[in-house]
Amino acid sequence: MTGTSTAVSRLRAAAGGANRWVVLVVLCLSLLLVALDATVLHVAVPAVTEDLRPSAVGLLWIVDAYPLVCASLLILFGTLGDRIGRRRVLLFGYALFGAASALAATAGTPGVLIAARALLGVGGAMIMPATLSILRQVFPDRRERALAVGIWTAVAAVGAAAGPVIGGFLVEHYWWGSVFLVNIPLMALILPLGRWLLPESRGGADGPWDVLGALMAAAGVLGVVLGIKRIGGGEGLLNPATLVPLLVGAALLALFVRRQKRRTHPLIDIAMFSRPAFTTAVGCIVLAMLALVGLELIAVQYLQLVLDLSPLETGLRLLPLTFAAMAAGATGSYTLSRVGPRRMVAWGFVLTAASVLLLTLMGQHDRPALLTAGFVLLGFGLQSTLFGAYESMLSEVPAERAGGAAAIGETSYQLGAGMGIALLGSVMNAAYAPGLSRLHEEGVPTAAGSAASHSLGEAYQVAGRLGGPMGDLLRNTARHAFVDGLHITLLVSAGLLLLGALAALRLPGVMDCPPVKSACREQTAAVPEQGTGPDPAGSASSRHRPGPPDAPGRRVPLPARREPAEATGSGRAAR
């Protein structure tokens, strides 16, 4: 029995100072599932449509419910975690994510699937900011935190890119509900591990939590993201269904900012945006995601519709981007310490712009070597940019504000993704449609040409109905117009990326990271060797000397036994 208890206590101590990397593994597994679920459904949409027969609006909500709800609630749950405990919010998110996955997998109607996707969004909003804010708390030393952020961002890229591959394999071999079932065994593993290993931490808990402000932020972000997504779906800006959510959302966010400036204990410290490095880092995240998601969407259409690849083959073609992103994350800490945030983010943007310009050489025929080279440069460049931006953003705020900062970073991530689909999708549509404007001169019916101008997929459907020489003419013309539009869209994207490189010049030139001192050994020694119980409340061995949360060189040990943050008397995690 003694041997067993000793082994258990050592495993619990793995969550403490020396092995906080175990905590990072749990956090990365959490993020992997959330990122995976954002893209895994995309290749299953045709199967869902055939089985559940949703309306056009219903299908739109099946796809969009998850990112819309997740983006709108990030600030709410990020700041709530600062108040009631980030680990607590994270564990609730795990449980809800698993239950919602089971509901989605067994959904028999479009309404149930939409509700399940919305619940997945709530769970994702609980998980995403909590993982980043706990990471900020567990790694107070900037050198180690840079490595941890590199791994964290690489895992996010892996999850997003692996979604279509896993989804394509499952849909081809099983049924569409299996894309949700994969979450359940992983959540069943992570929930007890997280409860056992993750430390509890809180931010500043002074004053009441601003419930009204949190709801204003949620509704404001929801309106803005919904409006942006409608623009990306081809709706006009002046369409009431697009304009009203945008205006209402923008107004609510403006009121939210005004309210936070006036409150003694705000949800979000607006003063963070007065720091050039923080504001620039947030802007770089938006620009990087704008380019990444918009380009991935267009690349998927090119691979499937122009090169006629299957969903699984499409996912495999995107794997070089994932591997390059993993390499950038793994080497990001070394690169950041060598060249500094400014050069890392700026050159990441420049490298991505170069990859986009290289991809303009794509044409009607498959060129695997060109695509692989372009995707490798794209993945490495964008991941370097995201790494440097996230690390700079986290390092600009104190640990007690990590939840709010993480929520801002993740909201920027979601807004950038939505804006990328809207902006680059609109550019693509505007460049594609004129290429089909003269089809009626070749004898193609005007109605058929008008329908084909909406998208390449719809053009193929119209061509199939026409058949014969007219159908072949429509198909070839639409394919050429799509490739021409793709080249124009890539040029616009390259311009935006170069704009991001200029913006990155406002970041610090060097990584401000004081050397680690030997004091951390004394602090680690203060952690009980076995997690069977706390020392007496007043004993010297159970208390650490007070100090600033980010004191240079302090390596904060996590408790071998999780205790409430209030036990320290500071409102922060036990140190």
Side-chain angles (χ1 to χ4, degrees):
M1 180 68 69
T2 302
T4 303
S5 62
T6 301
V8 170
S9 66
R10 287 176 179 174
L11 283 174
R12 286 176 179 261
N19 287 322
R20 54 210 166 279
W21 302 102
V22 177
V23 174
L24 178 63
V25 171
V26 177
L27 297 178
C28 286
L29 286 175
S30 312
L31 180 66
L32 179 65
L33 284 178
V34 176
L36 187 72
D37 223 66
T39 57
V40 73
L41 183 63
H42 291 174
V43 296
V45 167
V48 172
T49 303
E50 182 179 353
D51 187 17
L52 300 184
R53 303 290 181 183
S55 64
V57 175
L59 182 61
L60 182 66
W61 278 106
I62 288 173
V63 176
D64 287 344
Y66 177 83
L68 281 174
V69 173
C70 184
S72 63
L73 295 179
L74 286 168
I75 292 177
L76 188 154
F77 286 120
T79 55
L80 180 63
D82 284 346
R83 294 304 181 101
I84 70 171
R86 295 151 184 162
R87 171 179 167 272
R88 181 179 300 176
V89 171
L90 186 61
L91 294 180
F92 274 120
Y94 289 164
L96 182 59
F97 206 84
S101 297
L103 180 62
T106 57
T109 64
V112 174
L113 184 55
I114 292 171
R117 291 278 290 169
L119 288 175
L120 281 169
V122 177
M126 291 180 173
I127 294 171
M128 291 179 72
T131 59
L132 196 55
S133 53
I134 291 176
L135 184 151
R136 173 67 176 83
Q137 192 82 22
V138 172
F139 292 92
D141 178 70
R142 187 169 184 180
R143 289 186 182 87
E144 289 188 341
R145 184 167 67 243
L147 179 57
V149 170
I151 297 171
W152 186 89
T153 54
V155 167
V158 169
V165 180
I166 295 174
F169 174 82
L170 292 173
V171 171
E172 286 185 11
H173 292 83
Y174 302 100
W175 93 109
W176 62 264
S178 60
V179 303
F180 299 108
L181 281 182
V182 295
N183 296 334
I184 298 175
L186 291 175
M187 280 300 173
L189 173 66
I190 294 176
L191 183 58
L193 278 178
R195 186 174 183 274
W196 192 23
L197 292 174
L198 294 179
E200 184 60 285
S201 66
R202 291 177 174 84
D206 297 333
W209 186 54
D210 185 9
V211 179
L212 178 59
L215 295 176
M216 289 173 61
V221 173
L222 177 63
V224 171
V225 175
L226 179 59
I228 291 174
K229 280 187 170 291
R230 286 189 177 276
I231 295 174
E235 300 282 349
L237 178 61
L238 299 181
N239 187 318
T242 301
L243 187 60
V244 171
L246 273 176
L247 293 179
V248 172
L252 285 173
L253 289 178
L255 291 174
F256 170 76
V257 171
R258 184 180 180 185
R259 178 181 177 85
Q260 297 310 298
K261 287 181 177 180
R262 294 183 173 185
R263 287 185 64 85
T264 306
H265 305 289
L267 276 178
I268 299 292
D269 185 7
I270 304 299
M272 290 189 296
F273 288 96
S274 65
R275 302 176 182 180
F278 183 88
T279 305
T280 301
V282 170
C284 288
I285 292 172
V286 172
L287 279 172
M289 286 309 301
L290 186 152
L292 176 62
V293 175
L295 289 175
E296 277 192 345
L297 179 65
I298 295 171
V300 167
Q301 293 178 2
Y302 173 79
L303 293 173
Q304 290 188 352
L305 299 178
V306 176
L307 301 185
D308 198 26
L309 300 180
S310 69
L312 181 57
E313 290 172 332
T314 299
L316 293 175
R317 283 296 185 93
L318 293 172
L319 281 181
L321 189 153
T322 304
F323 293 143
M326 293 172 62
T331 59
S333 176
Y334 174 80
T335 305
L336 186 66
S337 63
R338 295 283 293 180
V339 304
R342 181 189 302 162
R343 290 189 181 91
M344 183 173 188
V345 176
W347 281 110
F349 273 124
V350 171
L351 183 61
T352 308
S355 71
V356 168
L357 293 175
L358 177 64
L359 291 175
T360 58
L361 299 177
M362 293 186 303
Q364 304 287 329
H365 304 288
D366 192 5
R367 302 179 66 180
L370 172 66
L371 288 174
T372 300
F375 287 157
V376 166
L377 293 176
L378 180 67
F380 195 91
L382 272 179
Q383 190 63 25
S384 298
T385 296
L386 286 172
F387 174 93
Y390 266 111
E391 200 283 332
S392 297
M393 182 195 72
L394 282 180
S395 298
E396 282 295 310
V397 297
E400 61 268 21
R401 292 288 183 182
I408 291 173
E410 293 303 320
T411 303
S412 304
Y413 186 100
Q414 296 290 338
L415 285 175
M419 290 171 62
I421 295 173
L423 178 59
L424 296 186
S426 298
V427 171
M428 182 69 198
N429 291 336
Y432 164 76
L436 282 71
S437 60
R438 295 187 177 181
L439 278 173
H440 65 280
E441 299 177 3
E442 304 291 337
V444 176
T446 303
S450 177
S453 66
H454 295 159
S455 69
L456 183 58
E458 193 165 349
Y460 283 176
Q461 293 176 4
V462 174
R465 290 195 296 267
L466 285 177
M470 287 296 175
D472 293 339
L473 174 64
L474 177 56
R475 177 184 292 271
N476 292 332
T477 303
R479 186 186 291 113
H480 278 88
F482 181 88
V483 173
D484 291 340
L486 174 61
H487 292 163
I488 294 174
T489 305
L490 291 174
L491 291 175
V492 171
S493 178
L496 292 172
L497 290 166
L498 293 176
L499 182 65
L502 292 176
L505 297 179
R506 298 186 66 201
L507 290 172
V510 295
M511 182 181 177
D512 184 14
C513 186
V516 179
K517 297 180 181 179
S518 60
C520 61
R521 183 180 302 175
E522 300 175 4
Q523 289 182 326
T524 305
V527 179
E529 183 178 350
Q530 296 188 4
T532 56
D535 289 343
S539 68
S541 64
S542 65
R543 304 171 80 87
H544 304 299
R545 293 184 177 88
D550 263 340
R554 292 174 70 93
R555 182 175 297 176
V556 181
L558 303 177
R561 186 176 185 272
R562 295 181 306 275
E563 298 188 25
E566 289 82 3
T568 64
S570 65
R572 302 189 188 124
R575 288 176 179 255

